[in-house]
Amino acid sequence: MAGTPVTVIGLGLMGRALATALMNAGHPTTVWNRTPGKAQALVEAGASQAPTVEAAVAAAPLVIVCVRDYDAVRGLLAPAEPALAGRVLVNLTSGASDEARAMAEWAAERGAEYLDGAIMMTPPGIGAPETVILYGGPPALYEAHEPALRVLGGGTTLISSDVGLPSLYDVALLGIMWSTFNGFMHGAALLGTEKIPATDFLPMATGWLRGVATFLTAYAQQIDDGAFAAEDATLETQVPPVRHLIHESRIRGVDATLAEYTEALLTEAIGRGHALDSYARVIDHFRP
Ligand SMILES: NC(=O)c1ccc[n+]([C@@H]2O[C@H](COP(=O)([O-])OP(=O)(O)OC[C@H]3O[C@@H](n4cnc5c(N)ncnc54)[C@H](OP(=O)(O)O)[C@@H]3O)[C@@H](O)[C@H]2O)c1
């Protein structure tokens, strides 16, 4: 075991995956969890289980925390405050940008350096070359620990010196994920009324998503430029198909709320005089 010693605090599904990847890469790994029994398999695989959270923090220069939320991070680290000075705290717990910024201040007040990260993957993907983990914090600090952090995901990236931005990207990306999930559920429910299996729908849906991604390329540029010329389809053109989706849903007893929301977005933008603009004009609705 030749790598930097690392401590992993929090041994839920994600924390156990993080510790396992670090051990597999040769990092001497100390672990701690509120419920100690969750460390057993890791200890059998070669991890050291710290008797207290303070001992866990003291055991390694690099301390990774991944628990339910930021309140839990602060609460569990309270007894370990004396040991935090001089450590690098890497918080991979999901949260919001304001929580991450407050956590960085909290760590600085206790003499710890701080990186905040957002894991864009589920536990089975930890350690895979394509796994994306977004970091925010001082670039020199990130670079110093990048080799150990890269063990957790090949797509590890410092996106900003601002510790709040990984959380902001995280929620923005999750929003896309849930909208996509809901669109798929709606489509699968519609086809299901004709006994078409979701697995038959799947290849068309995933192929369509690749096409949708190319539309976004144009829309992103339009949003940044503030120019919404419809090069593909106008807002006005999209109203009848959305109404077909609403009609088709209603006659089949499928919930039409998602489509009704889209219709409302279109009619709002058209009502403001943007009938001939592209769908990117809908950004106005979402902006503060
Ligand atoms: N699972 C995923 O796919 C995924 C993906 C990306 C990001 N994340 C993020 O990773 C973090 C952990 O997720 P997970 O999947 O590992 O969750 P999990 O399996 O439910 O584990 C939760 C962990 O938090 C600890 N915890 C909860 N409340 C605590 C408290 N008040 N004090 C101390 N420890 C506390 C638990 O300790 P006990 O064992 O003692 O209960 C456990 O170690 C979350 O922020 C989650 O959003 C998860």
Side-chain angles (χ1 to χ4, degrees):
M1 284 211 169
T4 315
V6 181
T7 285
V8 177
I9 294 176
L11 302 175
L13 289 169
M14 188 55 88
R16 294 202 297 276
L18 299 171
T20 301
L22 288 161
M23 282 197 294
N24 289 345
H27 290 273
T29 304
T30 299
V31 295
W32 184 88
N33 192 56
R34 178 180 65 174
T35 307
K38 288 190 187 168
Q40 191 177 337
L42 293 166
V43 170
E44 284 165 11
S48 305
Q49 183 171 15
T52 63
V53 68
E54 184 170 7
V57 170
L62 186 62
V63 178
I64 296 175
V65 187
C66 186
V67 290
R68 181 181 309 272
D69 55 33
Y70 280 55
D71 285 344
V73 175
R74 224 182 291 248
L76 75 85
L77 285 179
E81 285 187 23
L84 277 170
R87 311 281 158 196
V88 177
L89 183 61
V90 178
N91 187 11
L92 295 180
T93 304
S94 299
S97 60
D98 56 347
E99 293 180 299
R101 288 173 183 154
M103 195 74 218
E105 282 177 27
W106 183 92
E109 284 162 10
R110 283 146 188 86
E113 296 183 280
Y114 185 79
L115 292 169
D116 201 279
I119 303 171
M120 305 314 303
M121 185 45 77
T122 53
I126 293 301
E130 66 279 8
T131 291
V132 171
I133 306 182
L134 306 174
Y135 286 94
L141 182 64
Y142 172 81
E143 279 156 27
H145 295 282
E146 199 261 353
L149 299 177
R150 187 161 293 283
V151 162
L152 305 176
T156 283
T157 314
L158 180 75
I159 49 165
S160 175
S161 57
D162 181 343
V163 294
L165 289 197
S167 296
L168 189 59
Y169 272 93
D170 186 22
V171 293
L173 290 167
L174 289 173
I176 295 176
M177 180 185 78
W178 286 313
S179 294
T180 306
F181 284 172
N182 290 335
F184 182 77
M185 302 305 158
H186 187 189
L190 281 170
L191 292 164
T193 62
E194 296 285 350
K195 310 246 178 294
I196 297 167
T199 44
D200 283 7
F201 180 41
L202 179 68
M204 283 183 224
T206 52
W208 178 234
L209 282 177
R210 284 190 287 278
V212 170
T214 66
F215 306 156
L216 290 183
T217 307
Y219 293 163
Q221 193 63 56
Q222 293 192 339
I223 291 165
D224 288 348
D225 293 347
F228 300 97
E231 284 150 15
D232 47 10
T234 65
L235 290 174
E236 195 175 54
T237 307
Q238 295 185 62
V239 172
V242 168
R243 290 187 175 148
H244 301 153
L245 177 56
I246 294 169
H247 173 74
E248 198 70 65
S249 303
R250 287 182 184 153
I251 61 172
R252 292 171 183 277
V254 169
D255 181 74
T257 310
L258 282 178
E260 287 161 356
Y261 180 59
T262 306
E263 183 193 33
L265 293 173
L266 289 170
T267 53
E268 178 188 304
I270 291 167
R272 289 183 179 165
H274 304 304
L276 300 181
D277 283 355
S278 81
Y279 200 91
R281 175 58 81 177
V282 170
I283 188 73
D284 290 347
H285 171 88
F286 289 99
R287 279 186 166 141

